[in-house]
Amino acid sequence: MNNLLLRNVRPMAGETCDILIRDGKIAGFGTFEAEPGMAVEDGSNAIVAPGLIDAHTHLDKTTWGMPWHVNNRAAVLRERIDFEREHRLEIGIDPHRQSMRHAIGLAAHGASHIRSHVDIDPTHGLRLVEGVWETREKLDGIIDIEIVAFPQSGVMVMPGTVELLDEALRQGCEVLGGIDPCGIDRDPKGQLDILFALATKHGVPIDIHLHEAGELGAFTMEMMFERIRANGMQGKVAISHAFALGMNDYLRVGKLIDEIAKLDVAILTTGAPSAAVPSIMRLKEAGVRVGGGCDGIRDTWGPWGHPDMLDRAQVIGMKNGLRSDRDLEHVLHIVSQGGADVMELKNYGLKVGNDADFTLLAGQTLAHAVVDIATRPLVVKRGRVVARQGQAVVEMP
Amino acid sequence: MNNLLLRNVRPMAGETCDILIRDGKIAGFGTFEAEPGMAVEDGSNAIVAPGLIDAHTHLDKTTWGMPWHVNNRAAVLRERIDFEREHRLEIGIDPHRQSMRHAIGLAAHGASHIRSHVDIDPTHGLRLVEGVWETREKLDGIIDIEIVAFPQSGVMVMPGTVELLDEALRQGCEVLGGIDPCGIDRDPKGQLDILFALATKHGVPIDIHLHEAGELGAFTMEMMFERIRANGMQGKVAISHAFALGMNDYLRVGKLIDEIAKLDVAILTTGAPSAAVPSIMRLKEAGVRVGGGCDGIRDTWGPWGHPDMLDRAQVIGMKNGLRSDRDLEHVLHIVSQGGADVMELKNYGLKVGNDADFTLLAGQTLAHAVVDIATRPLVVKRGRVVARQGQAVVEMP
């Protein structure tokens, strides 16, 4: 029974009040007396926001907490993929231990939900998914993890992968992933036909990594639009990265965004600093669902990143050139409600009846909280305190 | 007499040794016994790097440590400039107090030198420079501050500014600044002729903010090249931002960089996340001096930034798409030796006889130290400990 009285907090930086939680649900905002035996916390007038959401990450890849991984390999996408697949276990990237570290880090920084792509390939079969699955079970009540069956090494170029994806979805992965149908698979029709058929068979949504830039990515998007229409998958497809929307052609991008809005395609952005990325403000104007994600953090691909969605909010906000308080509040929206919209979470948000998943934020205003990236004073998941002062209540392995 | 024995450190992540400091200078690397009365510190095998350098910032502008400044004004450059000039004092941005906070923050994070542009305009005369000047004197022995006489509001469009710049240089500002001769002043010939004449008169170098992008910025650069040749100012001119070098024309940018290398023009980059920026790796190949800077932090222009050159190294590294250990070491170079090259510092760097200005870095390797942005264990300026565990020995006002 997760009952809690959280005193003196400012929901979304508004008026100070208490939050009453019964059975892990928000029972009320106001002024309350503690009920006998009820846990009580004092929020010290901190802001309270709904749990942050990392809607695009890779829990199975990080070297977080391991010795520094020296990387002077060539910056070639295919080589990065192959190196990781062939060497990840010998390097010591145990999918369970490392996903624990990554996910606990996110929880300690106020996240309540994760959508994680997890690699599936013939070398490892479903072993990496099983490692993250174990983490998901161990962290039940700490942070919710949704798993995307992700063919990181390709679908058409990696025989045996389709059968593994099929099996992963049968076993309960909630989303089907994909990656660069042209760039990686060299067969957009082949890959997309297979992925849409698999998703339809299992009744799951699709979330495709689309690094393809410019007209190539636009072409792939159009092939996706065709299949969304043909399969009736409006509202069930997400495009991660979507760098093509960052191309320097205002009208062309506008037409793509029109289609994205019409087909209710969701966009996941990481604010990739060295790439051309979608404008989150333009997507907002078009009414597109947009979530944010940390992507890989400190993995064999690259060293950057922290398991902290406010850190990522900074990356996304700076990349988008946002400076005003209003715009900073929208960045916070993207790493919270925006992720919930993409993941179609039920019972999310600071409303009576919803799950008591939230984080306190240091800062005078929401904008201040976003740029300050200060330690989160308290994180609550389903009414239970899961982190204090940046430290999760569970130990990092 | 700043004598110090610093035991167990790894210069640039190399072999562990002691560093002996006499009279604020590095006297030796090796194994030493403490001399009678000599201060001794144990570096616990941390990396030691030369003091970090913020070679492009604005000490007079920050709201750091003040109540959150709400900003929902329009994102128009001229309006930002005018709002700041007209309201900075009433908002409470006292140039001395705020530059103290900013500079102490940098020192606490391992910086030994700052080049700060300081606004000069008819509204404030030299009052802002005087405030930073006071900070410079108070922080003597903590961090060195070089002041650029900076016509933030423009030169040609702001009568009276030329005389103020002249007076500032007469009083000892070390560098003459400038800003967007086309974009702000609408008179590139007028502004550049005056600035080069003033610099020649006072024998000071020039450091011009050039936000002008694409062909406009390239045109202004060419006008600068002509005046560098005409005035024999090779090696004495820096271009800050230089967004024109980020334009998408490989050959055109190559020709500009050839000229920049030939005239020994220095480039200062902040890795501006939402702009097109110069490629630091391409400038490295061309042998151009490149330093890094935090630019404004949390000011009326925008909320982002921290007084920490490793934070800025991250912004620059991510923006440039750098991932390998070798490249991360180059980013560290830019925020240390690169800044020293631009500022033409004498006696800088980890060599016997040089000033004992350095910082310990947490991390297993240099690359790890750059991405980890962990608390600096110890910062030493001219042989004296000026910060421990991220806390400066001087109090922040």
Side-chain angles (χ1 to χ4, degrees):
Chain A
M1 303 299 283
N2 292 335
N3 297 330
L4 176 69
L5 176 58
L6 178 58
R7 289 197 193 279
N8 297 318
V9 289
R10 292 181 290 140
M12 300 311 279
E15 292 298 305
T16 302
C17 67
D18 305 336
I19 304 182
L20 184 69
I21 293 145
R22 286 214 189 91
D23 296 339
K25 304 270 183 194
I26 298 175
F29 300 87
T31 307
F32 304 100
E33 292 303 311
E35 297 166 12
M38 180 175 256
V40 179
E41 298 282 344
D42 188 350
S44 301
N45 213 30
I47 294 169
V48 59
L52 306 180
I53 298 184
D54 189 343
H56 181 108
T57 193
H58 296 267
L59 291 180
D60 59 316
K61 289 181 188 292
T62 187
T63 66
W64 198 262
M66 291 170 52
W68 177 252
H69 174 70
V70 175
N71 172 9
N72 283 311
R73 298 180 295 278
V76 177
L77 183 59
R78 189 72 237 181
E79 288 185 23
R80 284 182 177 140
I81 290 173
D82 292 342
F83 176 87
E84 179 181 55
R85 191 184 61 253
E86 290 163 16
H87 299 282
R88 57 193 302 160
L89 297 182
E90 93 196 32
I91 289 169
I93 307 177
D94 177 84
H96 170 54
R97 182 190 65 228
Q98 292 309 112
S99 58
M100 283 289 283
R101 290 177 178 169
H102 190 151
I104 292 170
L106 282 165
H109 293 113
S112 58
H113 296 80
I114 299 169
R115 169 179 281 190
S116 177
H117 298 253
V118 183
D119 290 8
I120 289 176
D121 60 59
T123 306
H124 300 96
L126 298 185
R127 180 171 171 182
L128 309 175
V129 169
E130 286 156 8
V132 178
W133 213 286
E134 195 183 340
T135 292
R136 162 149 88 175
E137 286 168 9
K138 282 208 180 140
L139 297 184
D140 181 34
I142 303 288
I143 191 163
D144 291 341
I145 301 172
E146 180 182 72
I147 297 179
V148 184
F150 175 48
Q152 169 76 78
S153 292
V155 178
M156 310 310 286
V157 295
M158 202 52 71
T161 299
V162 175
E163 294 73 11
L164 289 165
L165 293 171
D166 190 36
E167 177 61 18
L169 295 173
R170 202 189 59 74
Q171 291 188 18
C173 286
E174 290 93 345
V175 183
L176 175 60
I179 183 169
D180 295 345
C182 295
I184 293 291
D185 255 343
R186 336 301 291 173
D187 181 3
K189 174 170 168 28
Q191 191 203 90
L192 291 173
D193 282 348
I194 285 177
L195 293 186
F196 276 82
L198 265 180
T200 304
K201 172 181 172 187
H202 291 279
V204 295
I206 289 178
D207 184 343
I208 291 190
H209 280 67
L210 196 59
H211 309 94
E212 293 166 10
E215 283 299 335
L216 182 63
F219 164 70
T220 298
M221 282 185 190
E222 289 167 343
M223 291 195 67
M224 292 177 67
F225 300 155
E226 290 157 13
R227 284 159 182 76
I228 290 168
R229 280 212 179 76
N231 292 278
M233 284 190 70
Q234 288 87 343
K236 295 296 169 192
V237 174
I239 303 178
S240 284
H241 301 305
F243 291 154
L245 298 181
M247 74 170 140
N248 188 19
D249 183 335
Y250 183 81
L251 293 177
R252 177 79 164 114
V253 170
K255 285 176 189 165
L256 292 169
I257 291 178
D258 284 347
E259 279 291 274
I260 284 167
K262 198 177 298 174
L263 299 172
D264 194 13
V265 172
I267 300 293
L268 277 319
T269 188
T270 65
S274 61
V277 303
S279 161
I280 61 172
M281 298 314 287
R282 192 169 184 190
L283 291 171
K284 181 187 181 202
E285 284 166 20
V288 174
R289 290 177 292 141
V290 178
C294 281
D295 209 355
I297 61 164
R298 202 173 291 189
D299 56 27
T300 61
W301 293 58
W304 304 109
H306 300 270
D308 183 347
M309 286 313 295
L310 285 192
D311 180 78
R312 183 53 47 173
Q314 171 176 295
V315 171
I316 295 171
M318 289 178 83
K319 176 71 180 180
N320 279 269
L322 306 185
R323 302 180 177 208
S324 74
D325 285 55
R326 268 193 297 270
D327 290 353
L328 294 173
E329 288 173 21
H330 184 58
V331 180
L332 181 62
H333 177 91
I334 281 189
V335 299
S336 53
Q337 184 65 53
D341 293 342
V342 176
M343 293 169 68
E344 301 185 88
L345 297 182
K346 309 287 179 222
N347 308 314
Y348 175 87
L350 295 182
K351 282 195 184 147
V352 171
N354 282 346
D355 291 337
D357 291 352
F358 47 73
T359 181
L360 300 198
L361 300 176
Q364 298 159 41
T365 68
L366 292 174
H368 186 205
V370 169
V371 302
D372 222 36
I373 320 186
T375 301
R376 302 324 102 81
L378 199 75
V379 183
V380 172
K381 177 72 183 173
R382 289 187 226 148
R384 178 183 162 217
V385 173
V386 295
R388 282 178 199 280
Q389 300 298 336
Q391 292 296 317
V393 295
V394 283
E395 256 184 74
M396 212 173 275
Chain B
M1 304 297 283
N2 292 335
N3 297 332
L4 177 67
L5 176 58
L6 178 58
R7 290 196 191 279
N8 297 318
V9 289
R10 292 181 291 140
M12 300 309 279
E15 293 298 305
T16 302
C17 69
D18 305 336
I19 304 182
L20 184 69
I21 294 145
R22 286 213 190 89
D23 295 338
K25 304 268 185 196
I26 298 174
F29 300 87
T31 307
F32 304 98
E33 292 303 312
E35 296 167 12
M38 179 173 257
V40 180
E41 298 281 345
D42 187 350
S44 302
N45 213 30
I47 294 169
V48 59
L52 305 180
I53 298 184
D54 189 344
H56 181 108
T57 193
H58 296 267
L59 292 180
D60 59 315
K61 289 180 188 291
T62 187
T63 65
W64 199 261
M66 290 170 52
W68 178 252
H69 174 71
V70 174
N71 172 8
N72 282 312
R73 297 180 295 278
V76 177
L77 184 58
R78 189 71 238 181
E79 288 185 24
R80 283 181 179 140
I81 290 172
D82 293 340
F83 176 87
E84 180 182 54
R85 190 184 62 255
E86 289 163 19
H87 298 283
R88 56 192 305 159
L89 297 183
E90 95 196 29
I91 289 170
I93 307 177
D94 177 84
H96 170 55
R97 182 189 66 227
Q98 291 310 113
S99 58
M100 283 288 283
R101 290 177 179 171
H102 190 151
I104 291 170
L106 283 165
H109 293 115
S112 58
H113 295 79
I114 298 169
R115 169 180 281 191
S116 177
H117 299 253
V118 183
D119 290 8
I120 289 175
D121 59 58
T123 306
H124 300 96
L126 300 185
R127 177 169 174 185
L128 309 175
V129 169
E130 286 156 9
V132 178
W133 212 288
E134 194 183 341
T135 292
R136 164 151 87 175
E137 286 166 9
K138 281 210 180 138
L139 295 183
D140 182 33
I142 303 287
I143 191 161
D144 290 342
I145 300 172
E146 182 182 71
I147 297 179
V148 184
F150 175 49
Q152 169 77 78
S153 292
V155 178
M156 311 308 287
V157 293
M158 201 54 70
T161 300
V162 175
E163 294 73 13
L164 289 165
L165 293 171
D166 190 36
E167 176 61 17
L169 295 173
R170 202 189 58 73
Q171 291 189 16
C173 286
E174 291 93 345
V175 183
L176 176 60
I179 183 168
D180 296 345
C182 295
I184 294 289
D185 255 343
R186 334 302 290 176
D187 181 2
K189 176 172 168 24
Q191 190 202 91
L192 290 173
D193 282 348
I194 285 179
L195 293 186
F196 276 82
L198 265 181
T200 303
K201 172 180 172 187
H202 291 278
V204 296
I206 289 178
D207 183 343
I208 291 192
H209 280 65
L210 196 59
H211 309 95
E212 294 166 9
E215 283 300 333
L216 181 63
F219 163 71
T220 298
M221 283 186 190
E222 288 167 344
M223 292 195 67
M224 291 178 67
F225 300 155
E226 290 157 13
R227 284 159 181 76
I228 290 169
R229 280 212 179 76
N231 292 278
M233 285 191 68
Q234 288 87 344
K236 296 295 168 194
V237 175
I239 303 178
S240 285
H241 302 305
F243 292 153
L245 298 181
M247 76 171 137
N248 189 19
D249 183 335
Y250 184 81
L251 293 177
R252 176 80 164 115
V253 170
K255 284 177 190 167
L256 292 169
I257 291 178
D258 285 347
E259 280 292 274
I260 282 167
K262 199 177 297 174
L263 298 173
D264 194 13
V265 172
I267 301 293
L268 278 318
T269 187
T270 65
S274 61
V277 303
S279 161
I280 60 172
M281 298 314 287
R282 193 170 184 189
L283 291 172
K284 181 187 180 203
E285 284 165 22
V288 174
R289 291 178 292 142
V290 178
C294 282
D295 208 355
I297 61 165
R298 202 173 292 188
D299 55 26
T300 61
W301 292 58
W304 304 109
H306 301 270
D308 183 348
M309 286 312 294
L310 285 192
D311 180 79
R312 183 53 47 171
Q314 170 176 295
V315 171
I316 295 171
M318 289 178 83
K319 176 71 181 181
N320 279 269
L322 306 185
R323 302 181 177 208
S324 73
D325 285 55
R326 267 192 298 269
D327 289 352
L328 295 173
E329 289 173 20
H330 183 59
V331 179
L332 181 62
H333 176 91
I334 282 189
V335 299
S336 53
Q337 184 64 53
D341 294 342
V342 175
M343 292 168 68
E344 299 186 89
L345 297 183
K346 310 287 179 224
N347 309 315
Y348 175 87
L350 295 181
K351 281 195 184 147
V352 171
N354 282 348
D355 291 337
D357 291 353
F358 46 72
T359 181
L360 300 198
L361 299 177
Q364 298 159 41
T365 67
L366 292 174
H368 186 205
V370 169
V371 302
D372 223 34
I373 319 186
T375 301
R376 302 323 103 81
L378 200 75
V379 183
V380 172
K381 177 73 182 170
R382 289 187 226 147
R384 178 181 163 219
V385 172
V386 295
R388 284 178 197 278
Q389 299 300 336
Q391 292 296 318
V393 296
V394 282
E395 255 184 74
M396 210 171 279

